[in-house]
Amino acid sequence: MRVSVSNLAGEATEEDLRQLFELFGSVTSVTMHRSGARCIVDMPSRAAAKEAISGLAGQELLGHEMEVEVAREPGKGGAGSARGGRRRKRR
């Protein structure tokens, strides 16, 4: 299960996040986004990922309160996504 973590301190590393999430179970990968303020953590166990979400949401890491939630699947944005909705044909 993919878990999105945002509002990270600029000094936070992939290893910091891996160690935190491994308290709840196995971690497949940690991918930091270029901004450094957000990352995706992949966990093979859905139950462990859900425990990590409830256990880490709102907790501080390096002075920043983390926002932790289930990551949206790529390309599955909502109405406000950058991809937008279906276009109508002009008549």
Side-chain angles (χ1 to χ4, degrees):
M1 176 178 225
R2 292 167 49 94
V3 179
S4 173
V5 185
S6 57
N7 197 39
L8 292 170
E11 308 85 46
T13 65
E14 290 180 6
E15 189 58 32
D16 293 331
L17 275 297
R18 181 177 294 278
Q19 288 177 0
L20 268 182
F21 276 80
E22 283 179 341
L23 296 173
F24 299 90
S26 179
V27 173
T28 306
S29 67
V30 179
T31 307
M32 299 290 285
H33 290 265
R34 280 183 258 154
S35 70
R38 197 169 99 79
C39 81
I40 298 292
V41 178
D42 283 308
M43 300 181 79
S45 166
R46 187 175 199 83
K50 287 184 175 191
E51 285 181 35
I53 290 168
S54 46
L56 295 174
Q59 296 298 313
E60 279 194 16
L61 175 64
L62 301 172
H64 287 242
E65 190 175 299
M66 295 182 292
E67 296 172 14
V68 186
E69 61 189 9
V70 174
R72 286 187 288 172
E73 292 299 315
K76 299 255 182 188
S81 74
R83 294 195 134 166
R86 207 170 90 186
R87 289 186 177 192
R88 293 184 178 183
K89 291 184 178 179
R90 288 187 173 177
R91 294 183 179 204

